[in-house]
Amino acid sequence: MTELLLILVGAIFVNNFVLSRFLGICPFLGVSKKVETALGMGMAVTFVMTIAAVVTWFIQYFILIPFGIEYLQTIAFILVIASLVQLVEMVVQKTSPVLYQALGIFLPLITTNCAVLGLAVLNIQKEYSFLESVIFALGAALGFTLAMVLFAGLRERIDLSPVPASFRGTAIALITAGLLSLAFMGFAGLVKG
Amino acid sequence: MIEAVLSIGGIGLLAAVTLGVAARKFAVEVDPRELALLETLSGANCGACGYPGCSAYAKAVAEGKAEPSLCTPGGQSTLEKIAHIMGVAAVGAAPQVAVVLCQGDNLRAAAKYRYLGVVDCVAAQRIADGPKICPGGCLGLGTCARVCPFGAIEMTSEGLAVISREKCTGCRKCVGACPRQVIAMTPLDATVHVLCNSHDKGAAVRKYCQVGCIACMICKKTVPEAYVIEDFLAKVVYEHYQESGAAVEKCPTKCIRDFVDGYPEGSRFAPPVVPVKRQEAV
Ligand code: SF4
Ligand code: SF4
């Protein structure tokens, strides 16, 4: 139990996917202008990451390892994640048009989100059990959402502040992201990642 | 080698079949007109139509919820194509002008607290719903004036946004920028408006604003067809704007205003717009 809790907390704060591992930076910078959209993206990623962790775990231990073809891991995982996102998109579009509207372009964007592939690969590297994989995925996704929402909140404020002309736009956003990342470094040592 | 081909091929095949089945099972029908419309529109996603983007507007038109003439950047040719797809006549909408539905500047509307933050209405609105007691009144920090690409909005010295009817092109940028939804699009011909945006009851309005609508119904009694009163706020029925002028003098709080008489005090914009004679009250 403690083990699982440690994995969860570690993934959210200490080894935050965005701010410490620098995975999934493009959605982090791209869809964080508003807290609402950031939250939407976070939700979508949480959903996909958790399912992806489950499926890739099975692929690894029931197909890749038994056949001795671990070297094909990247291709196999990408294949599965991409199809998974497609499937999720179709199901959401049919079953909940409202949610589909809210998530909009973010759903297909997740296909190319390196955080999802990163998570699947890390799960295998760390030799997590099935349950641990799922918990790790949940933590990673929550950490991703947390980073997105915090950053979006900061950017909403920056929009209203008198930023010097040469820093406006992406420049100040990148500096802010760097500072936020530094702040998260403060969690190092809380849990051994 | 053979295992590799088989297993990866197998996964791929499985994924393909699943997706294929799912695509059938979960197919969502899209109005073909919507797709055609989307191709016609400029794809600029500028928001001039009042929708978040071209696809939202295409959807609204296809469903018959929006006029075909709202895509300003597309101009006449786009309008004709849209009208063709929808099978309607290509008539442009009546020209519209933005109006700030409020006269409660810092002299006439009471403040809730003293705001010393960033000079921006969106920022001010985030702090306890804005520094004015009135929940709908103009905050006067000029967010709309800054987004107007045509310099059609000025702030009076007492903190009220005023829109020039000559300079406004009806682009709606200000409507989206105002955090209090004080700005409304109205037909250019209609010069009489109820300049109030508070849905509070009359007694409450009286306490915080000298020029707010108190829903006394006098305008409606004077010209019944030209006014409606919803949620304690009077509104001009713009189909009957010609008659609406008769109530201007009757309004006890002077919140009905005819722009023919010029812009609100403190504004630098030129006084009379169109010198027409207002109908007398009957
Ligand atoms: S109309 Fe809206 S945006 Fe313009 S000054 Fe008033 S509150 Fe601000
Ligand atoms: S922003 Fe557009 S609609 Fe608003 S006043 Fe300026 S020109 Fe008119």
Side-chain angles (χ1 to χ4, degrees):
Chain A
M1 193 61 213
T2 346
E3 185 67 7
L4 292 183
L5 202 64
L6 282 185
I7 292 180
L8 189 70
V9 174
I12 298 180
F13 295 109
V14 187
N15 288 309
N16 186 291
F17 263 52
V18 183
L19 298 171
S20 313
R21 287 190 206 269
F22 308 116
L23 288 167
I25 297 289
C26 44
F28 178 63
L29 288 172
V31 268
S32 57
K33 291 219 176 71
K34 274 198 182 139
V35 173
E36 272 168 40
T37 49
L39 206 60
M41 181 71 183
M43 269 160 36
V45 168
T46 310
F47 190 54
V48 172
M49 265 193 176
T50 318
I51 307 183
V54 172
V55 179
T56 52
W57 193 89
F58 276 108
I59 299 233
Q60 174 76 18
Y61 290 104
F62 288 94
I63 298 179
L64 299 186
I65 293 185
F67 289 115
I69 47 168
E70 291 100 325
Y71 60 93
L72 287 177
Q73 194 192 45
T74 315
I75 301 183
F77 282 9
I78 285 282
L79 188 76
V80 173
I81 292 170
S83 338
L84 210 63
V85 176
Q86 287 290 313
L87 189 69
V88 169
E89 191 183 344
M90 284 181 211
V91 174
V92 173
Q93 186 176 14
K94 180 77 182 180
T95 51
S96 165
V98 184
L99 183 65
Y100 182 74
Q101 279 285 329
L103 295 179
I105 183 76
F106 310 138
L107 263 180
L109 266 182
I110 302 172
T111 323
T112 50
N113 186 343
C114 56
V116 183
L117 179 67
L119 168 96
V121 174
L122 276 175
N123 266 339
I124 307 304
Q125 267 178 17
K126 295 189 172 219
E127 297 178 349
Y128 280 151
S129 70
F130 178 70
L131 191 60
E132 285 169 338
S133 298
V134 175
I135 295 289
F136 184 59
L138 211 62
L142 289 179
F144 178 86
T145 313
L146 179 70
M148 288 284 286
V149 172
L150 282 180
F151 191 49
L154 288 171
R155 279 179 93 169
E156 281 192 357
R157 298 220 153 188
I158 291 172
D159 264 358
L160 301 171
S161 314
V163 179
S166 47
F167 280 117
R168 264 182 220 147
T170 318
I172 190 79
L174 285 171
I175 295 174
T176 317
L179 289 175
L180 194 59
S181 165
L182 269 181
F184 265 68
M185 295 290 169
F187 288 119
L190 185 69
V191 180
K192 262 223 183 111
Chain B
M1 181 62 197
I2 190 76
E3 296 95 341
V5 174
L6 281 183
S7 46
I8 294 295
I11 297 176
L13 200 66
L14 192 70
V17 170
T18 322
L19 283 183
V21 173
R24 289 234 157 166
K25 201 158 161 47
F26 295 106
V28 176
E29 275 171 42
V30 184
D31 190 337
R33 289 184 305 181
E34 189 182 324
L35 295 177
L37 287 171
L38 196 55
E39 270 177 28
T40 317
L41 296 172
S42 63
N45 290 313
C46 65
C49 51
Y51 289 86
C54 294
S55 53
Y57 176 55
K59 189 159 190 270
V61 174
E63 288 169 1
K65 286 188 195 146
E67 293 290 322
S69 57
L70 300 182
C71 182
T72 344
Q76 187 64 23
S77 68
T78 306
L79 167 59
E80 273 160 22
K81 281 185 214 146
I82 296 177
H84 177 74
I85 295 171
M86 295 301 294
V88 294
V91 274
Q96 292 210 310
V97 70
V99 174
V100 178
L101 297 181
C102 178
Q103 294 191 95
D105 57 18
N106 296 337
L107 286 180
R108 292 182 286 190
K112 205 189 298 177
Y113 58 86
R114 197 150 135 241
Y115 176 73
L116 295 172
V118 191
V119 184
D120 183 281
C121 303
V122 180
Q125 178 67 18
R126 287 217 189 123
I127 298 175
D129 285 336
K132 277 214 166 118
I133 300 178
C134 172
C138 172
L139 296 176
L141 297 171
T143 299
C144 52
R146 280 189 292 276
V147 301
C148 179
F150 305 99
I153 308 185
E154 65 155 23
M155 309 304 303
T156 68
S157 53
E158 284 308 327
L160 180 73
V162 178
I163 300 182
S164 159
R165 301 174 74 82
E166 292 82 26
K167 289 191 189 160
C168 175
T169 64
C171 72
R172 296 167 187 260
K173 284 239 159 66
C174 53
V175 177
C178 175
R180 298 197 128 197
Q181 281 96 41
V182 191
I183 306 181
M185 299 306 296
T186 59
L188 181 57
D189 307 349
T191 56
V192 178
H193 304 283
V194 179
L195 296 189
C196 181
N197 191 35
S198 164
H199 287 285
D200 282 339
K201 286 190 181 153
V205 174
R206 264 190 204 285
K207 283 205 187 103
Y208 59 62
C209 184
Q210 297 167 18
V211 281
C213 173
I214 52 172
C216 62
M217 314 281 287
I218 292 182
C219 52
K220 183 146 181 74
K221 276 181 208 135
T222 313
V223 203
E225 65 279 9
Y227 290 91
V228 281
I229 298 184
E230 281 166 4
D231 288 344
F232 308 104
L233 178 61
K235 275 197 163 54
V236 176
V237 181
Y238 289 115
E239 283 87 54
H240 294 281
Y241 63 79
Q242 277 103 341
E243 299 100 81
S244 56
V248 173
E249 306 291 335
K250 302 265 163 123
C251 174
T253 62
K254 296 278 167 284
C255 67
I256 306 181
R257 187 170 186 105
D258 190 342
F259 278 94
V260 168
D261 302 336
Y263 290 97
E265 301 83 285
S267 150
R268 277 177 288 107
F269 289 134
V273 189
V274 241
V276 288
K277 224 171 153 280
R278 186 191 305 137
Q279 287 179 352
E280 280 314 307
V282 270

